[in-house]
Amino acid sequence: MSILVIAEHDNGSLKAATLNTVTAAQKIGGDIHVLVAGHNAAAAAQAAAQIAGVAKVLLADATHLGHQLAENVTPVVVELARGYSHVLAPATTHGKNLLPRVAALLDVAQISDVIAVESADTFVRPIYAGNVIATVQSSDAIKLMTVRTTAFDAAATGGSAAVENISAGSDAGKSSFVSQELTKSSRPELGAAKIIVSGGRALASSEQFHSVLEPLADKLGAAIGASRAAVDAGYAPNDYQVGQTGKIVAPQLYLAVGISGAIQHLAGMKDSKVIVAINKDEEAPIFQVADYGLVADLFTAVPELIAELNK
Amino acid sequence: MKILVAVKRVVDYNVKVRCKTDGSDVDVANVKMSMNPFDEIAVEEAVRLKEAGKASEIVVASLGVKQCEETLRTALAMGADRAIHVETDTELQPLAVAKLLKALADKEQPQLVILGKQAIDDDANQTGQMLAALMNAPQGTFASKVELAGDKVNVTREIDGGLETVSLSLPAIVTTDLRLNEPRYVKLPNIMAAKKKPLDKTTPAELGVDAAPRLKTLKVAEPPVRKAGIKVASVAELVAKLKNEAKVI
Amino acid sequence: MSYRAPVTDIRFVLNELAGLNEVGALPGYEDVNPELADAILEEAAKLAENVIAPLNKVGDQHGNKLSDGIVTTAPGFKSAYQQFSENGWVSLRTPTEFGGQGMPALIAMATEEMWCAANVAFSLCPLLTLGAFEALEHHASDELKATYLPKMASGEWTGTMNLTEPQAGSDLAQVRAKAVPVGDGTYKISGQKIFITWGEHDMVENIVHLVLARLPDAPAGVKGISLFVVPKYLVNADGSLGERNDVSCVSLEHKLGIHASPTCVMSYGDKGGAIGYLVGEAHRGLGYMFTMMNQARLGVGIEGMAIAERAYQQAVAYAKDRVQSRELGSDNPAPAAIIKHADIRRMLMTMKSQIEAQRALTYYAGAALDRAARHPDAAEKQKWQAVVNFLIPIVKGWNTEQVNEITSLGVQIHGGMGFIEETGAAQHLRDARITAIYEGTTGIQAMDLVGRKTASEQGRTARALLAEVEAVAAQLKTQGLAEIGDALDAALVHARASTDFVVGQFEAQPKAVAAGSVPFLKLMGIVLGGWQLGRAALVAKQKLADGDADSAFLEAKLITARFFAAHLLPQVSGLSAAILHGADTVLALPEEAF
Ligand SMILES: Cc1cc2nc3c(=O)[nH]c(=O)nc-3n(C[C@H](O)[C@H](O)[C@H](O)COP(=O)(O)OP(=O)(O)OC[C@H]3O[C@@H](n4cnc5c(N)ncnc54)[C@H](O)[C@@H]3O)c2cc1C
Ligand SMILES: Cc1cc2nc3c(=O)[nH]c(=O)nc-3n(C[C@H](O)[C@H](O)[C@H](O)COP(=O)(O)OP(=O)(O)OC[C@H]3O[C@@H](n4cnc5c(N)ncnc54)[C@H](O)[C@@H]3O)c2cc1C
């Protein structure tokens, strides 16, 4: 068995998602090759070569691959794929854009968002927005899948695979890149945020609510929420309120800072995937629902947390 | 210009589904079904293009069981001109759907095909891309803005970390993201009018497509419930846990 | 707490109990069928849940502000109303010739339930527009119709009903507002009207007031009242808006509930007289009002049932969430969700079973209204008209009396939290309170029921309906549902005795009958509600035997009907005792002793 992993990169550097995908490939077992398709992407290819466990890096380098348009990358992958038992891409917007196009041309099904590998042909993936976990089996000759990166550790580095240049095909001439606009930490919406930093009455003033929580939220790319007590006291605007009478949220990570955990507040956030509580009262009810509780003064703990994250 | 829009009938987004006790499948008997929210956005986008005078006809297609007709009627009430129902009781997976849509596109020759980026039941996020491949057409996935410009369409895509705009030659495939538009509430007279719009029926066999599923679902289960939490001793330990154990940062 | 339209139950009632298919077979309703009803229900549910329901609390908190004669509605109301009217919901049941959708009352009522449950204060605005529309449609000249109806059907203009005056409430014979002919066919209207719902507001450009007033030559009493159209802005010949009319809102009432619905003191003729146009013939205004009263009273009955549904949904959510005390008889020592406690269950079932009985009876009456209006066979038409006439005071009176109890149970289930405004349970209780008052108090409904609807026709319709109840009871007993059938039979004995008493004594001792009139109304509500749940149980049983997939819903129907039979139907014997033997104690105490 040999596995092709499609690298996530921006030509100049390799994206961490590639490392998680390689780990998923290792779970399947077999020779692992990484495809770097781009333009002036030697640096990314070099980085891929250093992933432990990667046997070979294939570099398709050409102007028309510069923006990794699916129309142009697909033929390269289709061409290669026939020599592999599995083709994996991270379940990023790039991987999701590309891989189904490849699958259709190979006339195989694709397995999206794999979170566990049961065997070489059996995989686990969430459906219904994660409310159901399905185990699926593929009988296709080549198994194509996107991999949920958060479900697999990053592969180690320290390898030294060879980089081999391969044919980059030609421009399909159907699409072209116009522009790109990458967001700079404008904070996400509460409802849509993956991470929420939420503050309670303990913040004690509007000024501190913002000066303490905003740097942490910016660091995590998080939205900011608040308890009703904090809103009522005027520390935070109304639309920040999380809870029974505020917004109902279920982010990947909910950080409750100086919030006691009243049942009305819990009603709004108890479905969060991971809950962290920072509270100086070790009896605070929030700790009953928190996956990770830190008994500490928030005014020291939060700055420490930012420092730790910056490391 | 003709637009083809694909709509799927799915479990309503408000419903929290449960697994059957034998774990063979999700129990969807008698739960509320609705149009896939991303597909509503697709229909809305097509209707707006038509209202703006940029499209002349909107054909909406749905594939699956008999009740897909209701979903098609909703799309017609929103403003689509006519509907095609590919009726089948087989479980349709994305590749089969893409093949069936390709067969419809061969007949209809649309310049633009708009689909939702994913269906909220199987969460596959594949069909649009697969259809684009089969039609040998360019794709603008996860669109948050669609602008027709002559024989091209500019699509702004929501990508990790921001936005990317691509220019695609027509015919092209667009898949919608949530921020593309806010679907309208249907006007009452349009519900009545929708009853009178044409709804054609066909089958995978008539279209010459083998729609058999490729992937086998061995079992389904509900995700594990929240395990009892722990207290951490320090900020450093907290960060380590979040990174390595919970993997949320 | 968000609202979810109970589409499954509504659909069940429409299709299985009220006879949507039969209504669809009436002339002019060829397009009406369960699929169309479904599409309408689904869309209405979306709008009710996502646009209108979220404004319920906002409206309660903000109310309306009056300044310089301008009433500013609560935030969000104007745009929600715009969406509501632009999407055609105002005119669902108005005739197509004036731009309406021409749907039967039955389907329209199902959507009205959703608007009322989502936000009753909001729902009153289109409800009154509809009432005014119907009065004009039936009685106004073609010219007035052409001027006003299309704009009202589209919801661009709203309508009001100006009946009440400080000295004239239940007793409209005392109306004093004046109308003086100008000579050019128009009239100058002057006087004060109070309690005028949505009498003034900022959601639309024009408001069409229907006003009861007396002409100079009018005979005293009810036979001297005429009906006038008085627009807020006069309408030019080309349909554009002209001058502001001499009518204004001079005050807003501070109320127990429905805060978002402006209840206005309207002053006519402060500057010499508001221009009004006579509707139909002079002196016949009150009669005209009564033609639309049937629908309006059913409409208020729907309000009661709908608010009850909303309160019930909220109570269920809380009962599942609130953890308090261990469960009796359970091995688990941990405190349990309160829904595990028997008394909470009793309260929830009391709410649920009455709501479902009311929904079935109300929609049955709605279908009767459609049949009475359109049935091609004269005898059938007449029969259904008698049924609607009989059911209207019951639906209005029973639904709105019970909603007070049901929303109160909703508060009770919340414990102390229920008494706290923020929870929202209290709003339902406050909002519900008006429904038993306006559009004729329960006392007035009950008098209508015992007098005009029962005694004056020798109990014909009452007895015919009770015979139907008996037939269902018999069927229940053969279908293994004897528990319900027996309870209905027992209740029937009392219902018949009470009916005999009302018919037999109305002439001889009217006051004694009046003393028991509200108990009689409630008794009829319970018996006929039990009848509908019995019918529902028969359908459920059959469908379960046929292997219908929605077994959970159908099983619940059976249990709900059994609960009603065990807990509500037995109340009939107590009510009957009060009706038959309670009158003298009602009246015995001398007035001075109070
Ligand atoms: C009908 C109703 C609806 C409600 N709806 C909501 C709702 O939607 N959302 C909501 O949030 N609440 C709601 N509430 C209010 C809720 O009951 C609580 O009052 C509220 O959540 C408390 O907010 P809090 O945790 O910020 O404040 P507190 O309960 O005062 O808690 C502050 C916490 O901060 C800790 N603390 C103090 N100083 C520090 C420090 N220096 N470092 C670390 N920790 C510190 C304390 O130990 C304490 O646990 C509702 C209440 C009612 C009655
Ligand atoms: C919020 C609100 C909105 C309203 N909206 C409108 C509107 O839009 N247009 C409009 O014209 N009016 C409106 N009304 C007025 C409403 O219809 C009247 O309040 C209602 O009809 C009762 O009249 P009343 O208040 O004068 O009470 P009264 O008639 O004084 O009644 C007092 C009590 O006496 C009882 N009673 C009276 N007569 C009898 C009898 N013969 N037998 C037994 N008992 C009797 C009643 O049942 C009641 O319990 C509204 C009222 C309110 C509070």
Side-chain angles (χ1 to χ4, degrees):
Chain A
M1 275 194 310
S2 55
I3 303 171
L4 181 65
V5 169
I6 297 168
E8 179 98 357
H9 68 93
D10 61 4
N11 295 323
S13 65
L14 192 71
K15 294 287 168 64
T18 317
L19 303 178
N20 309 94
T21 312
V22 166
T23 301
Q26 285 167 340
K27 297 249 150 109
I28 298 168
D31 264 4
I32 299 173
H33 297 176
V34 174
L35 168 69
V36 175
H39 181 50
N40 293 334
Q46 273 312 319
Q50 283 161 28
I51 305 172
V54 168
K56 186 156 75 172
V57 173
L58 306 168
L59 174 61
D61 203 306
T63 343
H64 68 274
L65 297 179
H67 292 289
Q68 301 177 52
L69 296 169
E71 296 76 11
N72 291 346
V73 179
T74 298
V76 178
V77 183
V78 169
E79 190 60 35
L80 282 175
R82 301 189 205 277
Y84 293 90
S85 60
H86 297 76
V87 179
L88 275 61
T92 54
T93 49
H94 177 246
K96 290 173 177 173
N97 186 41
L98 174 67
L99 210 61
R101 194 169 173 108
V102 174
L105 295 182
L106 293 171
D107 195 28
V108 300
Q110 180 198 296
I111 305 152
S112 295
D113 263 319
V114 168
I115 55 170
V117 175
E118 299 254 293
S119 72
D121 67 358
T122 305
F123 309 91
V124 181
R125 59 176 303 255
I127 54 177
Y128 288 95
N131 284 317
V132 177
I133 306 298
T135 306
V136 296
Q137 189 177 38
S138 162
S139 53
D140 284 321
I142 312 173
K143 282 139 188 91
L144 265 65
M145 70 201 76
T146 59
V147 172
R148 183 167 286 193
T149 54
T150 49
F152 297 90
D153 294 330
T157 49
S160 57
V163 176
E164 184 183 307
N165 284 297
I166 60 162
S167 156
S170 58
D171 191 342
K174 299 208 172 262
S175 57
S176 60
F177 172 86
V178 177
S179 64
Q180 200 172 52
E181 202 184 306
L182 296 183
T183 29
K184 296 185 205 63
S185 89
S186 79
R187 240 170 257 125
E189 260 184 281
L190 254 190
K194 292 210 171 77
I195 302 182
I196 293 174
V197 173
S198 213
R201 180 156 59 200
L203 272 304
S205 74
S206 169
E207 200 277 318
Q208 290 188 94
F209 189 94
H210 294 284
S211 66
V212 173
L213 297 185
E214 278 175 4
L216 177 59
D218 287 344
K219 180 68 217 161
L220 291 168
I224 297 187
S227 73
R228 174 174 142 197
V231 172
D232 284 358
Y235 308 160
N238 282 324
D239 58 348
Y240 278 34
Q241 183 177 319
V242 171
Q244 188 183 28
T245 47
K247 292 209 167 62
I248 313 280
V249 298
Q252 294 285 305
L253 172 62
Y254 188 88
L255 266 142
V257 179
I259 291 177
S260 61
I263 179 149
Q264 294 82 15
H265 188 78
L266 300 185
M269 42 66 79
K270 63 176 186 242
D271 289 334
S272 305
K273 180 160 176 257
V274 174
I275 297 172
V276 169
I278 302 178
N279 196 303
K280 69 178 183 189
D281 171 11
E282 66 177 301
E283 302 276 298
I286 189 79
F287 288 125
Q288 288 162 19
V289 300
D291 299 275
Y292 304 107
L294 178 64
V295 181
D297 187 322
L298 75 94
F299 294 104
T300 53
V302 172
E304 263 185 62
L305 182 55
I306 297 169
E308 186 69 26
L309 289 168
N310 276 330
K311 274 187 192 166
Chain B
M1 188 185 80
K2 191 193 273 189
I3 303 179
L4 176 65
V5 181
V7 297
K8 182 175 185 184
R9 175 181 151 90
V10 298
V11 171
D12 188 82
Y13 73 102
N14 279 311
V15 174
K16 189 173 182 321
V17 294
R18 305 227 162 274
C19 297
K20 289 184 183 161
T21 38
D22 65 359
S24 62
D25 203 348
V26 175
D27 189 357
V28 295
N30 297 302
V31 301
K32 183 175 178 205
M33 306 293 283
S34 296
M35 190 189 300
N36 181 37
F38 290 98
D39 301 349
E40 265 189 293
I41 295 172
V43 177
E44 177 68 32
E45 193 65 16
V47 174
R48 289 187 190 189
L49 287 169
K50 190 174 172 201
E51 284 170 349
K54 301 208 162 126
S56 51
E57 190 187 18
I58 303 167
V59 180
V60 57
S62 190
L63 301 75
V65 295
K66 169 108 179 56
Q67 293 89 332
C68 291
E69 275 178 31
E70 293 163 24
T71 313
L72 287 170
R73 291 283 174 212
T74 306
L76 291 171
M78 288 176 75
D81 297 296
R82 61 190 172 86
I84 304 173
H85 179 200
V86 182
E87 189 168 343
T88 170
D89 289 335
T90 10
E91 177 206 340
L92 291 177
Q93 293 180 349
L95 184 59
V97 174
K99 288 179 181 177
L100 292 165
L101 289 174
K102 160 77 163 61
L104 293 180
D106 285 345
K107 290 193 175 169
E108 296 287 341
Q109 296 292 322
Q111 287 296 94
L112 198 59
V113 185
I114 313 181
L115 307 85
K117 79 164 180 183
Q118 74 192 73
I120 60 165
D121 49 3
D122 63 16
D123 284 334
N125 195 333
Q126 302 173 4
T127 307
Q129 297 89 313
M130 288 179 158
L131 175 63
L134 297 177
M135 286 174 64
N136 192 23
Q139 65 192 46
T141 50
F142 328 141
S144 66
K145 194 167 163 197
V146 174
E147 276 178 327
L148 284 164
D151 60 349
K152 294 210 158 46
V153 57
N154 285 335
V155 178
T156 302
R157 308 177 52 233
E158 297 203 1
I159 57 169
D160 297 328
L163 298 171
E164 176 191 79
T165 304
V166 291
S167 167
L168 314 173
S169 18
L170 298 175
I173 279 70
V174 169
T175 75
T176 62
D177 216 319
L178 286 176
R179 274 161 293 273
L180 179 59
N181 61 48
E182 213 177 297
R184 64 195 61 198
Y185 289 95
V186 171
K187 286 191 171 35
L188 197 49
N190 297 349
I191 297 178
M192 325 265 178
K195 300 236 117 196
K196 304 199 166 76
K197 292 183 180 177
L199 192 158
D200 295 328
K201 294 257 186 188
T202 181
T203 60
E206 275 175 28
L207 293 170
V209 173
D210 171 13
R214 297 292 190 84
L215 294 176
K216 196 165 139 201
T217 298
L218 302 181
K219 65 167 190 213
V220 297
E222 281 161 33
V225 287
R226 186 178 288 282
K227 63 176 174 12
I230 54 160
K231 294 245 171 75
V232 290
S234 68
V235 166
E237 187 189 347
L238 174 63
V239 171
K241 294 269 186 204
L242 290 177
K243 280 195 169 142
N244 305 325
E245 195 175 271
K247 303 197 176 87
V248 286
I249 58 173
Chain C
M1 159 71 203
S2 57
Y3 164 67
R4 290 269 155 263
V7 176
T8 309
D9 197 49
I10 293 178
R11 189 185 291 134
F12 178 85
V13 172
L14 293 186
N15 294 335
E16 309 296 340
L17 303 178
L20 179 63
N21 275 321
E22 286 86 336
V23 169
L26 296 171
Y29 290 150
E30 289 74 16
D31 288 345
V32 174
N33 54 44
E35 292 72 48
L36 179 66
D38 248 14
I40 292 175
L41 293 180
E42 295 288 345
E43 284 305 320
K46 268 193 224 166
L47 195 70
E49 292 169 0
N50 302 329
V51 177
I52 300 171
L55 297 175
N56 199 35
K57 188 168 200 167
V58 183
D60 186 50
Q61 287 167 344
H62 280 257
N64 298 281
K65 306 272 176 297
L66 172 68
S67 138
D68 295 334
I70 294 168
V71 172
T72 310
T73 49
F77 272 62
K78 188 172 176 173
S79 76
Y81 178 78
Q82 238 157 29
Q83 200 164 8
F84 182 87
S85 56
E86 277 170 14
N87 285 2
W89 294 105
V90 177
S91 54
L92 182 58
R93 56 155 95 175
T94 60
T96 42
E97 57 173 312
F98 300 110
Q101 308 305 320
M103 282 290 115
L106 181 59
I107 291 184
M109 284 166 80
T111 64
E112 286 156 18
E113 173 184 340
M114 297 183 201
W115 318 136
C116 292
N119 191 329
V120 70
F122 177 93
S123 76
L124 295 177
C125 187
L127 185 85
L128 279 152
T129 305
L130 197 66
F133 182 104
E134 274 163 6
L136 290 176
E137 185 206 344
H138 285 112
H139 307 293
S141 65
D142 288 345
E143 196 188 337
L144 286 179
K145 285 192 211 177
T147 309
Y148 294 100
L149 293 188
K151 293 278 192 186
M152 291 170 79
S154 68
E156 285 164 273
W157 299 350
T158 62
T160 71
M161 303 299 264
N162 288 241
L163 287 63
T164 309
E165 295 177 14
Q167 75 295 343
S170 301
D171 182 9
L172 290 169
Q174 301 192 49
V175 161
R176 276 192 208 143
K178 278 202 203 103
V180 179
V182 175
D184 60 356
T186 69
Y187 296 81
K188 292 223 158 180
I189 313 290
S190 58
Q192 195 182 70
K193 293 285 177 181
I194 62 166
F195 296 162
I196 304 311
T197 300
W198 287 97
E200 173 61 39
H201 61 91
D202 60 359
M203 302 201 301
V204 293
E205 56 175 20
N206 203 9
I207 301 175
V208 182
H209 303 290
L210 287 197
V211 183
L212 287 184
R214 282 180 192 283
L215 288 163
D217 60 346
V222 289
K223 297 224 156 65
I225 299 173
S226 306
L227 180 63
F228 297 88
V229 187
V230 184
K232 174 177 168 183
Y233 285 96
L234 297 174
V235 183
N236 298 325
D238 64 355
S240 63
L241 292 189
E243 261 176 67
R244 175 75 201 242
N245 209 348
D246 185 8
V247 46
S248 61
C249 169
V250 293
S251 178
L252 284 183
E253 303 301 344
H254 301 274
K255 308 191 293 286
L256 178 65
I258 56 166
H259 291 162
S261 162
T263 302
C264 306
V265 177
M266 301 299 294
S267 184
Y268 290 82
D270 287 350
K271 299 173 193 140
I275 303 294
Y277 309 89
L278 182 65
V279 176
E281 291 170 34
H283 313 318
R284 298 192 53 188
L286 212 51
Y288 297 160
M289 277 292 157
F290 275 101
T291 55
M292 44 70 53
M293 205 77 104
N294 276 353
Q295 291 217 5
R297 289 184 169 174
L298 277 181
V300 178
I302 291 173
E303 286 170 26
M305 177 253 293
I307 299 171
E309 168 74 34
R310 181 87 187 253
Y312 168 71
Q313 290 188 11
Q314 174 151 356
V316 169
Y318 191 79
K320 286 183 174 170
D321 218 42
R322 173 71 173 172
V323 171
Q324 206 72 189
S325 311
R326 64 177 292 184
E327 185 183 357
L328 262 183
S330 154
D331 298 338
N332 188 346
I338 59 172
I339 197 166
K340 301 246 187 241
H341 302 318
D343 189 53
I344 296 285
R345 287 295 183 94
R346 178 192 60 79
M347 291 192 274
L348 289 172
M349 287 305 292
T350 303
M351 297 171 88
K352 177 179 166 67
S353 63
Q354 291 188 89
I355 293 165
E356 290 182 19
Q358 291 174 350
R359 180 173 294 123
L361 190 62
T362 305
Y363 291 174
Y364 185 85
L369 194 66
D370 288 324
R371 289 161 151 150
R374 300 238 177 158
H375 208 289
D377 181 88
E380 282 287 305
K381 209 174 156 90
Q382 207 178 4
K383 170 191 140 189
W384 287 111
Q385 188 61 53
V387 170
V388 196
N389 290 348
F390 186 77
L391 290 180
I392 277 170
I394 298 170
V395 166
K396 157 67 163 95
W398 185 50
N399 289 9
T400 63
E401 282 295 312
Q402 294 318 105
V403 71
N404 288 305
E405 182 191 317
I406 293 171
T407 53
S408 178
L409 288 173
V411 168
Q412 192 71 12
I413 286 168
H414 283 76
M417 275 300 194
F419 197 68
I420 306 302
E421 283 293 351
E422 226 158 336
T423 315
Q427 186 190 345
H428 306 316
L429 176 70
R430 291 185 289 98
D431 283 351
R433 194 63 193 82
I434 184 63
T435 59
I437 298 172
Y438 59 21
E439 208 57 64
T441 59
T442 308
I444 297 295
Q445 304 302 325
M447 284 309 295
D448 180 44
L449 179 66
V450 295
R452 218 167 345 170
K453 307 295 171 65
T454 307
S456 73
E457 53 153 52
Q458 279 71 54
R460 211 181 313 115
T461 310
R463 292 196 177 107
L465 284 172
L466 294 179
E468 294 206 32
V469 180
E470 189 172 9
V472 167
Q475 246 180 308
L476 285 161
K477 286 188 271 187
T478 65
Q479 297 300 314
L481 297 166
E483 208 180 333
I484 308 169
D486 289 341
L488 274 176
D489 271 345
L492 271 172
V493 173
H494 300 294
R496 286 187 163 131
S498 299
T499 306
D500 291 344
F501 175 79
V502 167
V503 173
Q505 303 303 315
F506 191 75
E507 291 273 302
Q509 32 173 349
K511 226 170 167 178
V513 172
S517 62
V518 170
F520 182 70
L521 182 152
K522 288 189 176 172
L523 175 151
M524 278 294 174
I526 295 171
V527 173
L528 298 178
W531 167 47
Q532 292 297 331
L533 287 185
R535 294 180 65 214
L538 287 170
V539 174
K541 181 103 188 183
Q542 184 60 48
K543 285 186 168 266
L544 283 166
D546 295 346
D548 187 289
D550 203 352
S551 57
F553 174 82
L554 298 168
E555 297 283 1
K557 269 284 169 222
L558 289 175
I559 293 170
T560 306
R562 284 173 47 216
F563 177 91
F564 195 92
H567 288 254
L568 278 302
L569 281 174
Q571 293 180 4
V572 164
S573 82
L575 289 165
S576 160
I579 296 164
L580 300 180
H581 314 297
D584 64 332
T585 56
V586 167
L587 302 167
L589 199 63
E591 213 173 300
E592 314 80 72
F594 282 97

